[in-house]
Amino acid sequence: ASMAKASFGVGYMNPTHPGALLSEPTTLNGVYAGLDYNIHFTENFGLAPGVFCSYATKTDEYPGSLASGKLTLTELYVGVPLNLNFSFKLAPDFALTLYAGPTISYGVMSKSKGDVKVLGIGGSTEGDLYKNTNYKPLDVLVGGGVAFDWAEMFRVSVGYNYGILDRNASDHHSFNRSYL
């Protein structure tokens, strides 16, 4: 017999992004939230499919006396992880869980906004990176992590995912997204 348990999670993430020219990766700061459903096959072993949304952004400023600028990158993803997990009790209310598996991720939005001022006169430009560049929204990641559970109600986890698909459609550069 198997048991199942639903959970809600929120947290911090720092995905890589190919950068303004799709050749110089940069790290964004973001948050994620979602649900998963852990199906226990045994007391210690289970499978946890889920759905998570993530939002990440970064603003770089380029100060100067005659010209200055600012570039903001923003991304929104929906990810579906499918993690195998193994838990073992450390004490009556404490457990350690190891997990690993694939995540299918789809980029709902990837936008850039640039602001430039030259001699005090400024302008802005915005772009959709999925429509205006070779950057592809679909990604498949593999990853894993470790979690510390308390009283079967709270979890602190650290994990890493690495994209196995080249998300740049051109032959000039390759880009694999990853995040902690």
Side-chain angles (χ1 to χ4, degrees):
S2 65
M3 296 179 358
K5 185 172 163 184
S7 64
F8 172 75
V10 296
Y12 167 80
M13 65 185 300
N14 66 343
T16 56
H17 186 278
L21 302 175
L22 294 178
S23 61
E24 300 172 16
T26 187
T27 301
L28 285 68
N29 291 301
V31 294
Y32 69 89
L35 300 169
D36 67 8
Y37 193 73
N38 194 12
I39 303 163
H40 293 278
F41 298 120
T42 68
E43 183 179 344
N44 300 88
F45 183 67
L47 176 69
V51 175
F52 285 83
C53 290
S54 62
Y55 174 85
T57 188
K58 181 176 185 181
T59 299
D60 288 320
E61 297 202 24
Y62 305 96
S65 56
L66 297 176
S68 62
K70 180 169 67 169
L71 176 64
T72 302
L73 299 170
T74 305
E75 292 197 313
L76 178 65
Y77 286 91
V78 174
V80 178
L82 185 61
N83 286 316
L84 292 172
N85 56 67
F86 181 78
S87 299
F88 52 93
K89 296 260 185 208
L90 300 174
D93 281 340
F94 298 97
L96 186 67
T97 301
L98 304 173
Y99 61 91
T103 298
I104 297 172
S105 179
Y106 188 79
V108 177
M109 174 190 68
S110 185
K111 295 197 178 218
S112 65
K113 180 180 181 194
D115 297 305
V116 177
K117 285 187 180 179
V118 178
L119 298 173
I121 300 171
S124 294
T125 183
E126 291 187 31
D128 183 332
L129 296 178
Y130 293 136
K131 291 180 182 175
N132 301 329
T133 67
N134 292 322
Y135 191 42
K136 299 185 289 188
L138 181 65
D139 201 3
V140 176
L141 302 105
V142 292
V146 61
F148 181 72
D149 300 322
W150 175 61
E152 295 187 11
M153 299 225 13
F154 300 100
R155 171 176 278 185
V156 176
S157 68
V158 175
Y160 181 79
N161 284 292
Y162 180 78
I164 58 175
L165 295 181
D166 179 3
R167 298 198 48 217
N168 187 354
S170 77
D171 292 333
H172 304 294
H173 302 284
S174 64
F175 175 68
N176 299 79
R177 182 173 69 117
S178 63
Y179 59 88
L180 181 66

